[in-house]
Amino acid sequence: MAESRIIKKYPNRRLYDTEISSYITLEEVRQLVVDGEKFEVRDAKSGDDLTRSVLLQIISEHEERGQPMFTTQLLSQVIRFYGDSLQGFMGSYLEKSLQAFLDQQQQFRSQLNNIIGRTPWSMLNDMTERNMDVWKSVQQGFLNDAANKVRQGADPSQKAKKDKS
């Protein structure tokens, strides 16, 4: 099993990524999460694990801007479980529920791709190609009609036939 990436947190609140030997931002830590990287945030002085508090800080900052994911009611309900006899079960319940949701989401996407058989981009490309073919045929029809009218105007026998009808 691969070791976790170590990020040291200094008293000045700066985060130092030991893998790339550089300071990083909280947003870059969030990107590590999104990318599925395994990491630990450790206090630079004591070595204490600060990963959970940094993750909570990321959630808090994202909840403050944009559209929040957690409603006030949901947060209140979670807080009520602290000190409750079921507190120990709540974390694993939420984790398993979220994993079940992610599994269902992946299954739905897979089924949708099987039904459609293509990605949205390939469908859009196909539709664009069909539209271009239709547009080309419409243009060709206009050009043919225009060419025929020009020829009829230049050929007096065609004009005479047209005048009789």
Side-chain angles (χ1 to χ4, degrees), residues 25-31 33-34 54-70:
T25 64
L26 208 53
E27 186 59 27
E28 289 169 312
V29 174
R30 186 193 74 80
Q31 191 59 49
V33 173
V34 171
V54 169
L55 294 175
L56 286 168
Q57 184 179 356
I58 292 169
I59 290 170
S60 176
E61 286 188 8
H62 278 268
E63 284 290 306
E64 288 175 6
R65 58 180 189 239
Q67 185 169 354
M69 187 182 309
F70 301 109

Side-chain angles (χ1 to χ4, degrees), residues 138-154:
V138 166
Q139 282 183 321
Q140 191 61 46
F142 284 139
L143 290 174
N144 289 342
D145 286 347
N148 286 336
K149 288 183 181 181
V150 167
R151 275 187 237 127
Q152 286 176 358

Side-chain angles (χ1 to χ4, degrees), residues 4-16:
S4 294
R5 187 174 189 159
I6 302 296
I7 298 171
K8 293 181 179 180
K9 185 172 184 182
Y10 287 91
N12 62 2
R13 297 179 49 145
R14 293 191 71 187
L15 300 166
Y16 184 81

Side-chain angles (χ1 to χ4, degrees), residues 89-104:
F89 298 106
M90 189 61 180
S92 64
Y93 172 77
L94 290 174
E95 189 175 335
K96 288 176 184 172
S97 296
L98 185 56
Q99 187 59 52
F101 174 78
L102 293 172
D103 292 345
Q104 288 174 347

